[in-house]
Amino acid sequence: MSVAPKGHTEPKDRAESMDRAEDRAESRNRAESRDHAESRDHAESRNRAESRDHAEGYRAGRTLPLRVEAMRQLRRRRTMVIGGVLAAMPFVLLAAFQIGGTPGRPGRTSFIELATASGANFAVTMLFVGTGFMLVIPVALFCGDTVASEASWSSLRYLLAAPVPRARLLARKFAVGLAFSAVAVVMLPAIGLVVGTAAYGWGDLELPAGVSLPAGQALPRIAIAVAFVLLSETVIAALAFWLSTATDAPLGAVGGAVFASIITGVLDAVTALGDLREWLPAHWQYSWADALQPQLEWGGMVQGVSLSLSYAAVLLALAFRGFARKDVVS
């Protein structure tokens, strides 16, 4: 048996080693080329996505202007109906007084009994009858119907695809709803002042305590009272708005806020609750009467506004947080 000389195998081994080294080099080059190509493709894809997200002329701050949203809400039938009802209420109350005569109850004197004393008294009477329930409805409607109605119409997802940032959408919706609520709160006593002045003349503001405020002081005091009512209603506005972001049923959001207002009013009447009633917004809802005293009292109004704004801040935070994570499919 013959064995090849050792010198004959060395060139062959060196050739095989060189071939393997070349193969490894080519594999490494191909891998690097492939990685480079993939990186380039990823970069191009990212650039195309950024180009789509930042289309020419697109500015998130220009989406859904307040004017556009205000006009959309103003043209809705429910806005016109609410405006008509609030404008008609002073005339309804005036007709009731004309038919039934001057109101009066033996041994009791309230703003209702003094409604016909002057135009200022009639305006305060409209504020008095509207505080407990009548003004709650438009506030809950304007703030509770705004987002839920878009979902019920299946137009909410198209607004977000416009694209309108979610936080901006909510901010615009709530700002417009709050503005319409403010108009509703101011409209009732303002029209009452005009109607009452035309019917009973301009004069001093008679108070249940048996004293009166001069006509020159009555208007700024009434303005303070109206401002307090508006600020105290922010908790209803925020609750209705939070419910509006959580449901697709506008009636559920509006009804839930109105129902909560009724419940807090009932609980406030339960004297057994003691000091716990001070944590209810309804406990302070008539504190605006302190603005009409001969000596202006701020204590009750400050507590009522502070409580309402605190609750409103929490409810708005829940609304924005929940909507940011919500899967909008309608």
Side-chain angles (χ1 to χ4, degrees):
M1 183 174 182
S2 60
V3 179
K6 184 177 180 179
H8 287 218
T9 60
E10 291 179 355
K12 183 178 179 180
D13 293 339
R14 284 196 299 270
E16 291 177 355
S17 299
M18 293 177 63
D19 291 340
R20 285 194 297 269
E22 291 177 356
D23 291 339
R24 286 195 298 269
E26 289 179 1
S27 299
R28 186 166 56 251
N29 292 335
R30 284 195 298 269
E32 292 177 354
S33 299
R34 185 168 59 253
D35 293 341
H36 181 70
E38 290 177 355
S39 300
R40 186 174 62 252
D41 292 340
H42 286 311
E44 291 177 355
S45 299
R46 186 169 59 251
N47 291 335
R48 286 194 297 269
E50 291 177 353
S51 297
R52 287 193 302 268
D53 294 340
H54 303 283
E56 184 178 356
Y58 171 75
R59 297 291 186 275
R62 296 180 181 177
T63 57
L64 195 62
L66 283 174
R67 177 180 56 82
V68 173
E69 177 62 18
M71 293 305 299
R72 291 178 70 242
Q73 299 300 326
L74 182 62
R75 294 191 181 101
R76 294 187 58 186
R77 183 176 300 175
R78 52 93 158 148
T79 304
M80 300 179 183
V81 171
I82 287 294
V85 170
L86 292 176
M89 281 308 301
F91 294 96
V92 173
L93 195 61
L94 176 64
F97 288 153
Q98 294 294 334
I99 294 173
T102 302
R105 288 176 291 179
R108 290 194 62 183
T109 303
S110 68
F111 287 114
I112 297 293
E113 280 71 36
L114 298 173
T116 59
S118 66
N121 278 94
F122 193 79
V124 171
T125 301
M126 295 309 306
L127 190 63
F128 179 78
V129 300
T131 298
F133 183 72
M134 187 183 302
L135 291 176
V136 172
I137 296 177
V139 172
L141 182 63
F142 290 136
C143 295
D145 179 68
T146 179
V147 178
S149 61
E150 297 284 358
S152 66
W153 298 333
S154 298
S155 59
L156 184 58
R157 57 181 174 179
Y158 297 109
L159 277 175
L160 296 176
V164 180
R166 294 194 178 201
R168 183 177 178 82
L169 174 70
L170 293 188
R172 294 303 196 189
K173 290 284 188 180
F174 185 69
V176 171
L178 202 59
F180 276 71
S181 301
V183 172
V185 172
V186 173
M187 177 186 294
L188 188 63
I191 296 179
L193 181 64
V194 175
V195 173
T197 301
Y200 306 115
W202 178 252
D204 295 344
L205 176 63
E206 302 292 335
L207 300 176
V211 296
S212 62
L213 285 178
Q217 296 181 14
L219 280 182
R221 296 292 189 89
I222 293 175
I224 294 175
V226 172
F228 169 80
V229 172
L230 175 59
L231 291 175
S232 64
E233 293 291 348
T234 53
V235 62
I236 297 298
L239 175 60
F241 190 72
W242 174 47
L243 294 175
S244 183
T245 62
T247 180
D248 294 348
L251 185 59
V254 177
V258 174
F259 180 74
S261 175
I262 295 174
I263 292 298
T264 56
V266 172
L267 291 177
D268 183 58
V270 181
T271 56
L273 292 176
D275 293 340
L276 292 176
R277 295 183 300 162
E278 296 182 2
W279 293 94
L280 299 173
H283 183 72
W284 307 99
Q285 62 184 353
Y286 289 100
S287 296
W288 56 264
D290 294 341
L292 305 179
Q293 300 304 316
Q295 184 65 36
L296 182 61
E297 297 288 342
W298 290 99
M301 289 188 290
V302 170
Q303 292 185 51
V305 169
S306 300
L307 185 67
S308 296
L309 292 181
S310 299
Y311 285 150
V314 174
L315 292 169
L316 287 176
L318 291 175
F320 276 79
R321 183 176 182 273
F323 193 73
R325 302 180 178 185
K326 184 178 181 180
D327 185 16
V328 178
V329 295
S330 57

